[in-house]
Amino acid sequence: PDDAYALASRAHVLAQAGRADAAMADFRRLLDAQPEHAHAWFNLGFLLEQQGRLDEAEQAFRRSLELESKLDRAW
């Protein structure tokens, strides 16, 4: 249940289905298990930004860049 690939995959499917809250819950669960997962931080930031939660989104994007500075979309 805490497999990074499975959680990320399900989160993407949920996001595509318009279930942003459920997708964010999966990304947060993934990050609880693997806090160094830069792409999960980026994807969480993307969903937060879509919901207008800009301060939280900025924090998530910054964390993703701390972990992997080549995530150019996070800039």
Side-chain angles (χ1 to χ4, degrees), residues 4-75:
Y5 183 78
L7 286 169
S9 296
R10 185 170 66 184
H12 283 284
V13 169
L14 290 167
Q16 289 294 317
R19 298 182 55 201
D21 289 335
M24 287 190 295
D26 273 354
F27 282 125
R28 290 185 192 282
R29 185 172 172 186
L30 167 60
L31 289 165
D32 285 343
Q34 296 184 22
E36 305 301 311
H37 198 292
H39 289 89
W41 281 110
F42 170 78
N43 289 317
L44 177 60
F46 181 82
L47 290 170
L48 289 164
E49 183 181 36
Q50 285 185 325
Q51 290 193 332
R53 296 164 63 179
L54 302 182
D55 290 337
E56 292 173 87
E58 181 181 355
Q59 290 174 358
F61 288 138
R62 287 185 184 277
R63 184 65 183 133
S64 72
L65 289 169
E66 289 170 4
L67 296 167
E68 192 171 320
S69 63
K70 293 182 182 182
L71 282 173
D72 60 339
R73 291 184 65 202
W75 286 103

